[in-house]
Structures are given as structure tokens and as C-alpha cells.
Amino acid sequence: MRDFKYIWLLGLIGTALIVIVPVVLVLQPESEAATNPWDHVPDDSPATDHSALLKGPFETGSDVTLACLDCHDDAATEVMRTNHWTWQAPPVEVDWREEPVSTGKANVLNNFCIGIQSNWTGCTRCHAGYGWEGADFIETATEDDVDCLVCHDQSGQYVKAASGLPADGVDLVAAAQSVGLPTRENCGSCHFNGGGGDAVKHGDLDETLYYPDEALDVHMGRHDFQCTDCHQTADHDIKGRSISVSVDNANQVACTDCHDAAPHDDARVNAHTDSVACQTCHIPAGARREPTKMVWDWSAAGQDLPEDQHSYLKIKGSFIYEGDFIPAYDWYAGTAERYLLGDPIDPNEVTRINDPIGDITDPNAKIWPFKIHRANQIYDTVNNILLVPKTVGEGGYWTEFNWDLAAQLGSDVTGLDYSGEYGFTWTEMYWPITHMVAPAELALKCSDCHSADSRMDWEALGYLGDPMRWGGRNVGTQGSE
């Protein structure tokens, strides 16, 4: 007869192995990332001192450009091929339209200042060119209309005015002699001030990024990244896309351009990356230092009320700003379905001008953080289409405070059929939060999403509940197979 005296010890060892081995496998550090992030950061050579090369005098910005082209003879041609110049991308095929779609600042509307068409002289203060005053500028412009200084000036006193021309008082010789590689100040002079002022449009771009600390943005604050370290450039074509104007995802910037797709030491954290964008955890809030515009009611414009840039301006209406806000979260696969001029709307519903594409069943979609900007903007109450009013210049709303006239003058340019009857309707625009990346120690913790006080609306995202309890996107999710 066998001796089972020590059989209990074998059972104890087996039970211990069942418990301990999975824990060890989960907690052990993953293998070192396949790539070193620094291998992908440009190692730029020092800029050439131009103080002895560009003596001047220069009467106009175009004079400076012509001097630049003496040595950089292809530069203007390269710039004029880019979307930064044309403000309109070539046509691309999209699933939500039968015909190819070409979009850009030049031909779409938004729910901030609404649209460039008929408002060129004001909007093109931020164009990388000189003299955009009408619809035919891109077709008729020449190389000397390219503005080299807006991206390369380091004098700190170069400012653009109406139609993109240098402002009065700018020392063009000092600007030309100072030129160097683009800095945050160059890019930010336009991108931090989109929508009419600092921090207005983006929930993650404002002038605090000129000199940020590492708590605000770990890349710019700790490592002194310039914009072009991520938005890398070849032949003046700058990498990046924004669903505010773009409908494709070509030439986009991604965290994985530098970082490994599974960069964490903990496998449980890496398991999130199939469904959660890096930005969702590593950018815990939007507008972390300066408040950003969240609501714009154009229908309130025209009244003689006390003015404040964060609450009311007669020419623009009333606003609501928020700072350090918790982003809205939605599924996003990298593109959006966009409202195009002339598309019909239901004025009784909120119109999404750029609706992120993706849902819980889309394997390419991840949960992303967004700023959602809401506006009450002008539309044609008979044709049920959004309108582009003329706001700038002669006859514009900011001069005459006459919405009917502004709608007619804008429609004369856009070609929209304006019935003569207008009203206001609510719209939304989605702005992905991708800058102001916090250090790892300030990233979201498990309890920020998986607790009774979760910032996530799991059911709205398509889950049956918190996936920690109810399972992931492929386990019993609403709408999944």
C-alpha cells in the first residue's frame, strides 16, 4: 500500500505555483523597448549666422524673400506645394462621400470665426505669405509672395498684419539677419492664437508653451523640444494633421514615431494601448494654465454691453471659457466626417462639424481626449444650411452689425444660395488633445477611470459598464459581435 503521508505537501506546492506564477508573469518588467526614442529626434545643425549675408535695405517682406532665394532657390517653390501655403489639401476618397473631398481653411467653415471666404484680409494674418486679399491669391501668387520670416525670424519683433503683410514698424533688416530654425515662438505666433486670441481655439496650445515647465509639457519643458522635433519637416512640408480641416490621416504625427508601442514596464498598463490613446492617460486635463473658449454664442453679438475678452465682445457675441478641464472622451480612428459647405442640417439638432470616426467595434479606434467647442452660429432658415458671413472689411458684420448684409456678402463669395432669412443654430467641433503631455508621475491613475468617481462614461463609450468589472471591448460590449 502506498504511503500518502506527505501528499498534502505536494498539494500545497501545486496551489502555490498556480497563484505565484501568473503574478510573477504579470509583474515582471517587459523587455526593453525595441527603439530608443532619442534615435528619432532630429539632431539639427546650428543655424547659419545671416547678419553679414542680408544687409538690406528691405522695403517690403517680399524684398527679404527675394534675398533669401538668392541662396535657397527652391525654398519658395517647396513652400507653395504645401498645405501650409494652399490652405487646402488635394482631393482624397472618403467613406462618407461618393466623390473625392478636398478640404482646408480655404474652403470649409468652423464654429469659431466661421470662415476665411470673404474675410481673407483678416484671416490671412496667419498665412505664410504676403498679400492674400481675394479668392484668386493662390492661383496668382508668385515666389516673392512667400513669407520666409514668419517661420524663421528670431528677432522677436516680427509681426504680421492684414493680408499677411508685415505690420508697421517691423524692422525687416533685423528680422532678416536674425533668421534661424523655427522655434515654438514661430509656430505659436499663429497656432497658439487661432480663433482670434491666445488659447481661444485649441485646448492644448497657448502661449504658456513658449516657456513651459516640465509639469505643463514634459517634452517642451524638460527636454526643450521645439515643435519641429515632432512635426518634422522635409522640403518645407510639415508633418501633421488636424481634423478641424483635414479629412485624411496622411503624414500624421504619432507618439509611436519615437516611442515603442508597448513602452511600459507593467504588462497590465501595456494592455490598455490597444484601446486607449497615449494622450488619454498622459494628458489628464486641457487648458492647464490658460482658460480656453468652450462656448461661443454669435447670436448675442451687436449689443452695447460691457466688454471682456472672456465673456462678451460686441463684434463676436458671448463666450464661456474653461481652464484645467476634464476632456470629453470618444472613440477615434484618426479621421472625421466633416460638414462641407452646402450640406443640409437639422436646425433642431446640434450639428457636428467634424465628427470623429470610430466606435467600440472598430479595431483601429482608440479612446481619445477631446475639447468640444460649442457655438450658436448663423444659418439659412429656409435652405437649412450653415452660412459664412462676411465679418471683416467693408460691409462686414464687425463694421455694420447687420447680419442680413453679412450673410448676403459672404454668400456672394461662397456661392451658397442665401434665401434672405437667417437664424442661429448650435454646432459642435471636436479638437483632439495632443499637447501638454504631463510627466509620468502626473499621468492618470487606475482610480481616475476605474472607480465610482470615474471620469469615463463607459456606457456612452459602448461598454456594458466599467471594463474592469464587465470585460473589455470584445467581451459583451454593446454593439459588438
Side-chain angles (χ1 to χ4, degrees), residues 370-386:
F370 291 92
K371 166 188 169 176
I372 301 179
H373 181 261
R374 296 174 173 87
N376 196 20
Q377 64 190 98
I378 191 170
Y379 82 105
D380 187 310
T381 59
V382 175
N383 294 319
N384 285 335
I385 56 174
L386 297 176

Side-chain angles (χ1 to χ4, degrees), residues 15-327:
T15 301
L17 290 173
I18 291 172
V19 173
I20 293 172
V21 169
V23 172
V24 171
L25 290 174
V26 166
L27 295 182
Q28 69 178 354
E30 294 203 344
S31 59
E32 194 171 316
T35 58
N36 179 357
W38 289 103
D39 290 342
H40 304 280
V41 178
D43 184 13
D44 294 316
S45 301
T48 300
D49 183 351
H50 284 69
S51 58
L53 302 175
L54 296 170
K55 294 293 189 179
F58 303 118
E59 296 296 325
T60 67
S62 292
D63 290 341
V64 177
T65 300
L66 290 172
C68 296
L69 294 176
D70 283 341
C71 294
H72 305 280
D73 51 352
D74 293 330
T77 301
E78 291 174 354
V79 170
M80 295 172 81
R81 294 193 189 111
T82 70
N83 295 344
H84 254 84
W85 173 263
T86 62
W87 279 8
Q88 185 171 342
V92 295
E93 293 186 357
V94 293
D95 293 337
W96 44 272
R97 213 77 176 191
E98 292 183 359
E99 67 280 354
V101 172
S102 172
T103 61
K105 288 173 67 73
N107 72 333
V108 299
L109 55 73
N110 57 49
N111 66 357
F112 285 86
C113 294
I114 302 184
I116 176 180
Q117 295 181 78
S118 76
N119 300 304
W120 300 285
T121 59
C123 297
T124 59
R125 289 172 179 262
C126 270
H127 183 249
Y130 299 125
W132 192 335
E133 297 179 343
D136 63 346
F137 173 79
I138 294 299
E139 288 72 32
T140 60
T142 55
E143 289 187 350
D144 60 318
D145 291 321
V146 171
D147 182 357
C148 304
L149 295 175
V150 69
C151 294
H152 293 284
D153 163 69
Q154 305 304 318
S155 70
Q157 52 87 50
Y158 183 74
V159 179
K160 288 167 73 71
S163 302
L165 299 172
D168 292 341
V170 168
D171 185 337
L172 291 173
V173 173
Q177 292 179 348
S178 76
V179 294
L181 296 174
T183 64
R184 294 191 296 272
E185 287 82 355
N186 293 114
C187 303
S189 64
C190 286
H191 291 282
F192 296 172
N193 289 278
D198 180 30
V200 169
K201 185 176 285 187
H202 301 272
D204 60 346
L205 291 175
D206 60 50
E207 292 183 357
T208 62
L209 291 176
Y210 285 152
Y211 306 103
D213 57 41
E214 65 178 57
L216 177 61
D217 189 285
V218 68
H219 297 101
M220 302 184 208
R222 181 182 295 174
H223 301 299
D224 197 29
F225 271 32
Q226 303 303 316
C227 303
T228 51
D229 287 324
C230 293
H231 296 271
Q232 296 179 19
T233 304
D235 300 329
H236 289 88
D237 187 16
I238 303 171
K239 190 173 186 178
R241 281 290 189 275
S242 172
I243 61 170
S244 60
V245 290
S246 299
V247 295
D248 70 335
N249 202 27
N251 205 29
Q252 182 59 285
V253 175
C255 301
T256 49
D257 290 344
C258 294
H259 296 281
D260 192 76
H264 309 95
D265 291 336
D266 191 329
R268 294 169 298 180
V269 179
N270 283 332
H272 285 69
T273 60
D274 286 339
S275 298
V276 180
C278 306
Q279 292 86 337
T280 297
C281 295
H282 290 277
I283 310 178
R288 294 172 58 206
R289 297 289 170 82
E290 291 293 328
T292 186
K293 188 176 289 186
M294 302 295 282
V295 180
W296 186 335
D297 186 354
W298 277 99
S299 71
Q303 304 177 70
D304 292 317
L305 301 175
E307 292 194 319
D308 178 272
Q309 65 174 348
H310 288 140
S311 59
Y312 184 80
L313 292 174
K314 181 178 180 179
I315 64 172
K316 295 183 177 181
S318 61
F319 323 117
I320 296 176
Y321 277 71
E322 291 183 27
D324 203 30
F325 67 89
I326 294 178

